[in-house]
Amino acid sequence: MTQITMTQAINRAIDEAMAEDAGVILLGEDVAAKQGGGVFKISSGLTEKYGENRIRATPISEQAIVGACVGAALAGFRPIAEIMLMNFVTVAMDQIVNHAAKLRFMSGGQTNVPLVIRTTTGVGVGFGGQHSDMLEAWFAHVAGLKIVTPSNAADAQGLMRAAIACNDPVIFIENILCYGLKSDDPGPGHVVPLGKAAVAREGSDCTIVTYGRTVLDALEIAGKLADEGISVEVIDLRTIAPYDEATVTASVEKTGRAIVLHEAVKQYGTGAEIASRLNEKLFGKLKAPVTRIGGAFSAVPMANALEQAWIPNKDAIADAVRTAVNWKG
Amino acid sequence: MTDTTIDRDKLRDIYTRTMRVARADEKFRSLLMTGKLAVIYYTVRGQELVSAAAMAALEPSDYLVTTYRGQHDQIAKGVPLNPLFAEIAGKVGGTCRGKGGSMHITHPETGVMVTTGVVGSGLPIANGLALASQNRGDGKVTMVCFGDGATNIGAFHEAMNMAQLWKLPVIFLCQNNRYGEHTAFADHTKVDSIVTRAKAYGMAGVHVDGNDAIAMYNTTKAAVDRARAGEGPTLIEAMCYRMMGHFFGSDFSYMPKEHLAEMAAEDPLPRLRQLMLDHQFTEAELDAIVADLDAQMDAAAEFAANSPLPGPEEIRKDVFEEEIAA
């Protein structure tokens, strides 16, 4: 079977959506052909097909990029804003949090903002403190935003199609380290619905709930622990907010144990929300406390040795599973 | 030199829009003073004409983005009074079912797409509405209104640059009312005129007396025509004056008494009435327009008073397209 990289998959999803709907436009720094089709080449080849009116390279003006996309969305377009790196969304927070997220509600449902904000991030490429953050929890805290991140190429294609079709604003997080990942080609028209998690691996002793690049870590650890006789179920959330609580709860009810794993710092993160909800739903049925594993509580360091110490360590994740399985209460 | 002629019907139109704004503002202040309404209210006293003349130059289908002190813009653009009054009162019969309030009025049927409480943030959004029109070729123009204070936020500068870069059909209408909240223009901005900033972005910029109905209308019309012809954006700096405090009932001792007296002499309302008389409209004709408007205000206030409060179930609706769980 032919394979497809995540870069190709996201490009294809945008291409398909643009071919179907003239209201799909892409705005961002360097995205047009003249500037090289985006720093990560996601929009490569699209300017040639759809022209510079629809693939617009912008000035370095994050507020203006997101604001223009909010306005175009209000006028019935389905814009995609490329914010080159997730840390730069901080510059556009007003447009995202006060406008994109709230206009449907504040207008009493008269208007809506079908906008996708694509952004990239990832620890492990030596970009340091202002290019590497996972900030999904900030956005998950705001009513009105949907947050999506793929862990594989096929999902990236399908989730991007669903995000563009969504009538609400979606933050779409792409991990730089995943761009080269290959999946079996799902073919054209592939859609993965928002809000549906995937059981990435079935197991019976402990559940690891995760999303994005750390799904790969979880699968690797699950494979190793299987050799020790520990059966780990891996849930790939795919949509971080609103997350598929039914699938997560059902899995943890089955295994009785859960680890929530993410690349973002542990403190006040998505893991805290999921762990708390599992406590509320399954108190008395849990065989061990739900634990969280996340990045260190510091800025992401540049030096590779420090960066590797910052990110959740695979041995520590495996130990957390072993601790849960051997929990005596 | 701005054209000083104007069509008689257009003048009547501007007068009616101005007085609709003025009588609505008067009604709101009266409701607040008598305790019939208890909401935060940003009076537009002194700025009635600037938006009436500007909106008279737009088509009903053109887009408008405005700010928390935007009631004059919304009324002049055509938002119907009953739902507007009900929205400001937080009632279910409001434009936004009581979920927006005066600072967040939306009414797409009359082109009012966003009213924002965040100073200066409407400009980038206006660009997006204009970009959609440019791509569609629908001929619509987007106007975004803001005050002098908004010109110091980064979004203003990003949006001005982008609009000019892409020649978007957008009009940036700065209603320079001389105050950013409690801070006087000279204490927050070093340039003498906001038009200087248009020049910095290579954009057409026009300075106009916002209390001169004919100049204000003709200036706006010229900008609208340019935008529709694909010639790009214009910044209009319309001079006007906020005759009361930042919000109704707030202390405004920071506004010098001598300056207030000086500005009262330039009150746009008596000045417009005199202009109408100069153009052979009769006192009786003008009074009849106002009497009719006052009847509409009474009806709108009654509509708002009788409209129910929104129920708690509204909290779960319109967060997303699908209703969220309780």
Side-chain angles (χ1 to χ4, degrees):
Chain A
M1 195 168 186
T2 55
Q3 295 220 303
I4 185 169
T5 66
M6 190 179 281
T7 303
Q8 291 166 332
I10 297 169
N11 176 278
R12 179 197 272 171
I14 296 171
D15 190 354
E16 287 179 354
M18 293 191 92
E20 281 175 20
D21 180 355
V24 178
I25 56 173
L26 174 67
L27 270 63
E29 293 155 16
D30 297 341
V31 297
K34 191 177 165 189
Q35 294 80 16
V39 284
F40 298 107
K41 307 291 175 199
I42 296 296
S43 43
S44 181
L46 298 178
T47 315
E48 294 82 344
K49 280 190 184 176
Y50 304 107
E52 289 189 347
N53 272 344
R54 294 181 62 194
I55 307 289
R56 291 198 185 210
T58 65
I60 298 176
S61 304
E62 281 80 10
Q63 294 188 71
I65 295 166
V66 178
C69 287
V70 170
L74 290 172
F77 275 44
R78 293 189 174 277
I80 303 166
E82 177 175 310
I83 300 297
M84 196 181 284
L85 286 149
M86 192 164 203
N87 289 81
F88 307 165
V89 298
T90 58
V91 181
M93 281 303 258
D94 169 52
Q95 290 297 333
I96 299 170
V97 168
N98 288 318
H99 296 90
K102 294 179 184 169
L103 284 172
R104 179 192 283 278
F105 186 88
M106 294 196 306
S107 73
Q110 293 179 96
T111 57
N112 64 300
V113 183
L115 156 67
V116 180
I117 298 174
R118 282 189 43 242
T119 192
T120 68
T121 190
V123 181
V125 282
F127 281 177
Q130 294 178 346
H131 286 61
S132 310
D133 280 337
M134 284 288 288
L135 303 174
E136 67 277 15
W138 294 11
F139 298 105
H141 200 63
V142 179
L145 298 174
K146 294 185 176 177
I147 305 153
V148 172
T149 193
S151 68
N152 62 73
D155 277 4
Q157 182 181 326
L159 288 167
M160 179 55 78
R161 285 307 305 270
I164 297 170
C166 180
N167 287 326
D168 290 306
V170 178
I171 313 270
F172 195 95
I173 307 168
E174 300 160 18
N175 195 304
I176 296 166
L177 286 144
C178 293
Y179 276 139
L181 292 179
K182 288 181 178 174
S183 294
D184 288 343
D185 187 346
H190 179 59
V191 177
V192 173
L194 302 187
K196 295 285 176 207
V199 180
R201 179 187 172 110
E202 289 194 12
S204 54
D205 295 328
C206 182
T207 302
I208 299 179
V209 181
T210 187
Y211 49 85
R213 198 203 55 78
T214 46
V215 171
L216 305 176
D217 291 348
L219 289 171
E220 187 185 325
I221 290 156
K224 282 185 182 158
L225 289 173
D227 298 339
E228 298 174 23
I230 298 172
S231 170
V232 176
E233 179 145 304
V234 178
I235 304 290
D236 178 355
L237 283 185
R238 303 198 285 201
T239 300
I240 301 167
Y243 79 95
D244 185 353
E245 195 177 1
T247 296
V248 172
T249 309
S251 172
V252 179
E253 191 162 19
K254 178 179 77 176
T255 62
R257 303 173 184 92
I259 312 288
V260 193
L261 165 67
H262 50 60
E263 196 171 297
V265 295
K266 184 166 92 173
Q267 282 80 351
Y268 302 90
T270 308
E273 173 71 16
I274 295 172
S276 178
R277 281 174 174 257
L278 285 170
N279 263 336
E280 287 167 10
K281 287 273 163 73
L282 299 177
F283 186 74
K285 294 180 182 172
L286 292 168
K287 296 171 189 161
V290 179
T291 55
R292 294 171 290 151
I293 297 182
F297 196 57
S298 75
V300 177
M302 187 281 289
N304 185 258
L306 281 176
E307 205 179 19
Q308 292 309 315
W310 187 96
I311 202 162
N313 174 281
K314 286 180 206 167
D315 292 339
I317 301 164
D319 281 345
V321 175
R322 289 188 197 102
T323 302
V325 171
N326 295 318
W327 191 266
K328 299 286 186 249
Chain B
M1 185 78 188
T2 313
D3 188 1
T4 54
T5 60
I6 193 164
D7 179 84
R8 207 178 144 75
D9 286 341
K10 189 51 76 176
L11 202 52
R12 184 187 289 105
D13 177 23
I14 293 170
Y15 181 78
T16 307
R17 288 179 202 247
T18 306
M19 293 315 295
R20 185 178 287 118
V21 170
R23 298 315 295 161
D25 181 56
E26 180 78 27
K27 187 74 184 178
F28 272 106
R29 284 186 281 120
S30 147
L31 293 171
L32 290 162
M33 295 281 275
T34 54
K36 288 175 184 155
L37 197 60
V39 293
I40 188 145
Y41 179 70
Y42 299 90
T43 173
V44 295
R45 185 69 194 91
Q47 296 181 228
E48 298 90 344
L49 186 140
V50 66
S51 56
M55 301 312 150
L58 294 177
E59 294 298 325
S61 58
D62 287 333
Y63 293 129
L64 176 70
V65 176
T66 186
T67 73
Y68 64 94
R69 193 188 311 282
Q71 194 181 301
H72 52 335
D73 300 327
Q74 295 142 5
I75 293 174
K77 187 67 169 67
V79 175
L81 295 168
N82 285 7
L84 183 76
F85 271 59
E87 186 60 35
I88 292 173
K91 298 297 191 73
V92 83
T95 51
C96 313
R97 304 184 64 75
K99 294 158 89 166
S102 71
M103 289 199 275
H104 310 294
I105 302 284
T106 294
H107 195 261
E109 285 160 58
T110 51
V112 180
M113 302 307 287
V114 179
T115 298
T116 173
V118 183
V119 169
S121 65
L123 287 87
I125 298 173
N127 276 351
L129 290 160
L131 185 155
S133 292
Q134 186 182 64
N135 272 23
R136 273 192 182 126
D138 64 15
K140 287 187 189 182
V141 167
T142 299
M143 175 175 284
V144 53
C145 298
F146 51 91
D148 45 300
T151 66
N152 290 319
I153 191 172
F156 169 90
H157 298 274
E158 290 192 15
M160 293 278 285
N161 182 55
M162 186 178 273
Q164 179 63 13
L165 191 68
W166 293 345
K167 288 207 171 301
L168 296 174
V170 60
I171 295 166
F172 299 105
L173 176 56
C174 175
Q175 301 178 12
N176 186 341
N177 70 9
R178 326 293 172 93
Y179 280 91
E181 301 220 356
H182 295 201
T183 304
F185 182 77
D187 293 331
H188 70 61
T189 298
K190 197 63 191 165
V191 291
D192 295 334
S193 163
I194 301 303
V195 170
T196 312
R197 294 182 164 174
K199 290 189 170 59
Y201 295 104
M203 188 185 295
V206 195
H207 193 269
V208 61
D209 177 356
N211 290 337
D212 178 334
I214 297 173
M216 186 64 214
Y217 173 77
N218 285 333
T219 298
T220 311
K221 185 68 172 59
V224 170
D225 291 346
R226 284 190 70 242
R228 269 199 238 288
E231 291 165 24
T234 304
L235 173 88
I236 300 173
E237 180 182 18
M239 302 309 291
C240 52
Y241 193 69
R242 191 190 79 196
M243 296 178 76
M244 293 183 170
H246 174 51
F247 58 89
F248 185 63
S250 65
D251 169 59
F252 55 105
S253 55
Y254 54 89
M255 298 168 81
K257 285 194 175 59
E258 316 76 60
H259 195 213
L260 274 169
E262 193 187 315
M263 287 296 128
E266 290 186 28
D267 189 331
L269 301 181
R271 189 170 159 189
L272 177 62
R273 191 169 176 99
Q274 188 56 52
L275 180 79
M276 300 301 287
L277 297 173
D278 292 347
H279 280 76
Q280 278 70 54
F281 287 89
T282 67
E283 296 268 6
E285 223 176 322
L286 301 179
D287 288 344
I289 290 173
V290 174
D292 176 51
L293 288 169
D294 278 342
Q296 293 178 34
M297 299 310 152
D298 291 343
E302 199 180 328
F303 175 85
N306 293 333
S307 177
L309 292 164
E313 73 283 356
E314 283 289 343
I315 291 170
R316 301 196 306 271
K317 295 176 185 164
D318 306 321
V319 174
F320 294 116
E321 182 173 38
E322 59 277 13
E323 187 170 329
I324 61 170

